[in-house]
Amino acid sequence: MEQNAKQPKHKSGFIAVIGRPNVGKSTLINTLIGQKIAIMSDKPQTTQNRILCILTEPDAQIVFLDTPGIHKPKHKLGEYMVKAAEGTLKEVDAILFVVDATEKMGPGEYYILERLQATRKPVILVVNKLDLIEKEQVLPIISRYADKYPFVGVVPISAKAETNLDSLLTEVKKHLPEGPQYYPEDMVTDQPERLIVAELIREKVLQLTRDEVPHAVAVETDEMTTRPNGDVYIRATIYVERDSQKGIIIGAKGAMLKEIGALARKDIEALLGSRVFLDLWVKVKKDWRNREGVLHNFGFGVES
């Protein structure tokens, strides 16, 4: 009995990861959980859905919510993304506010700090991309943010170079309540495989196409079946808003679509642990980002 009393209590809880678009939130979460779940791109506003990612350690289970970047919305999809991000702040035990060490503090950061004032949740400042700046630049960056908000902790990191992530987890655990393991040890996300497959395909579209396409893209997994030999057949549709965008994604003689498929297939095979046959189609849905019915069909909750 006495031994049990000395054992540290198990902790569990929910952590929102917020920040302006393109500060490295998804890279951070993928690195922490050791598997690619959240999609990454150098295009802002990459994450469209709120994705729940689970890190299980012997002493704690941390459930990270990777939220769409908070920004001023320009269409109904943008409104949904911001609503999803802000709604998350009310449901969590603590918040990681991720900022880019290479970018000056600007209106985007002030906009988020304003929203944090209302949450009354512990907020940890995470200064990311440490590998891209000189050491002496770190303290002035931290001071600027600390002057604007009473953070409970500050951790400079590089998600890409995996620098200081242990310190970040130690800081996070301080703010978790005691609690059970909510999810099985081998579970890393609550998202169905079909959704992650669609997201991985969308990531490749964002990486390979020019600026006129990115946020006009949605992907749906139409069919996913395991064949008798263990291979997985996947048929997915890439939706865009204009015929010109469809032409860009297909490319000359289908070259772009082939490249999207080849890159996506690699990630999907790693995710599923099986050989994958990927059958991609491209369709036009005019102005889908402003059509509530279409957004709803794509899984975006657009309640007003």
Side-chain angles (χ1 to χ4, degrees):
M1 289 291 287
E2 217 176 316
Q3 259 186 326
N4 284 346
K6 286 179 185 170
Q7 278 181 353
K9 296 271 198 299
H10 188 275
K11 292 184 157 194
S12 53
F14 293 78
I15 305 291
V17 183
I18 67 157
R20 261 197 327 159
N22 206 17
V23 294
K25 300 184 295 294
S26 297
T27 308
L28 172 60
I29 290 175
N30 287 335
T31 307
L32 287 173
I33 66 168
Q35 197 167 333
K36 189 167 187 176
I37 298 297
I39 80 165
M40 299 181 287
S41 161
D42 60 357
K43 310 286 193 298
Q45 299 162 39
T46 301
T47 304
Q48 289 182 348
N49 287 291
R50 189 181 73 171
I51 294 178
L52 188 148
C53 300
I54 304 149
L55 174 66
T56 302
E57 296 208 323
D59 59 337
Q61 189 170 67
I62 308 168
V63 183
F64 293 101
L65 294 158
D66 181 23
T67 57
I70 294 181
H71 60 285
K72 292 227 160 74
K74 293 177 183 160
H75 39 63
K76 282 196 186 296
L77 172 60
E79 284 169 27
Y80 161 74
M81 288 159 72
V82 171
K83 210 180 273 186
E86 293 181 352
T88 300
L89 304 186
K90 296 169 190 162
E91 303 163 10
V92 296
D93 298 295
I95 296 164
L96 298 185
F97 176 29
V98 184
V99 301
D100 182 340
T102 68
E103 295 281 335
K104 286 196 167 73
M105 190 194 285
E109 282 78 18
Y110 291 120
Y111 184 76
I112 292 169
L113 287 168
E114 259 174 49
R115 271 140 190 79
L116 289 175
Q117 301 287 356
T119 67
R120 302 194 179 170
K121 304 280 182 182
V123 182
I124 299 163
L125 178 68
V126 181
V127 181
N128 190 23
K129 307 193 185 179
L130 208 54
D131 51 316
L132 300 180
I133 61 165
E134 300 296 326
K135 269 188 182 165
E136 57 271 19
Q137 293 176 272
V138 179
L139 278 176
I141 293 169
I142 290 170
S143 298
R144 275 195 291 279
Y145 280 95
D147 283 349
K148 301 282 182 292
Y149 193 88
F151 297 103
V152 296
V154 179
V155 188
I157 65 153
S158 166
K160 205 171 179 183
E162 301 189 21
T163 307
N164 227 11
L165 299 186
D166 286 345
S167 303
L168 177 59
L169 288 177
T170 301
E171 186 61 45
V172 166
K173 286 174 189 174
K174 287 183 197 169
H175 305 285
L176 291 179
E178 284 175 19
Q181 189 175 301
Y182 292 111
Y183 298 96
E185 214 160 296
D186 58 353
M187 189 171 169
V188 291
T189 181
D190 68 334
Q191 298 292 331
E193 282 177 344
R194 279 174 170 244
L195 189 135
I196 296 170
V197 163
E199 285 285 275
L200 290 173
I201 296 165
R202 193 167 66 88
E203 175 187 64
K204 303 311 171 197
V205 176
L206 295 182
Q207 281 175 3
L208 294 171
T209 57
R210 296 191 297 279
D211 289 343
E212 58 266 47
V213 175
H215 300 298
V217 171
V219 179
E220 270 194 314
T221 306
D222 306 308
E223 187 186 335
M224 195 165 159
T225 46
T226 304
R227 291 172 165 172
N229 65 357
D231 291 358
V232 179
Y233 168 77
I234 296 169
R235 181 167 50 82
T237 305
I238 299 167
Y239 289 98
V240 290
E241 291 187 318
R242 294 194 299 276
D243 289 317
S244 60
Q245 294 163 343
K246 181 178 176 178
I248 289 165
I249 286 177
I250 292 171
K253 295 184 180 169
M256 176 64 82
L257 193 59
K258 268 186 200 146
E259 196 178 349
I260 290 165
L263 290 176
R265 194 176 63 248
K266 266 190 200 165
D267 278 356
I268 295 165
E269 286 180 339
L271 175 77
L272 303 179
S274 309
R275 274 200 337 171
V276 166
F277 180 83
L278 186 57
D279 187 7
L280 292 181
W281 296 79
V282 186
K283 290 184 182 173
V284 176
K285 262 196 202 292
K286 301 269 187 223
D287 197 29
W288 69 263
R289 286 178 294 175
N290 279 312
R291 290 163 62 189
E292 294 206 0
V294 177
L295 284 170
H296 191 73
N297 289 341
F298 285 158
F300 299 112
V302 285
E303 312 84 19
S304 52

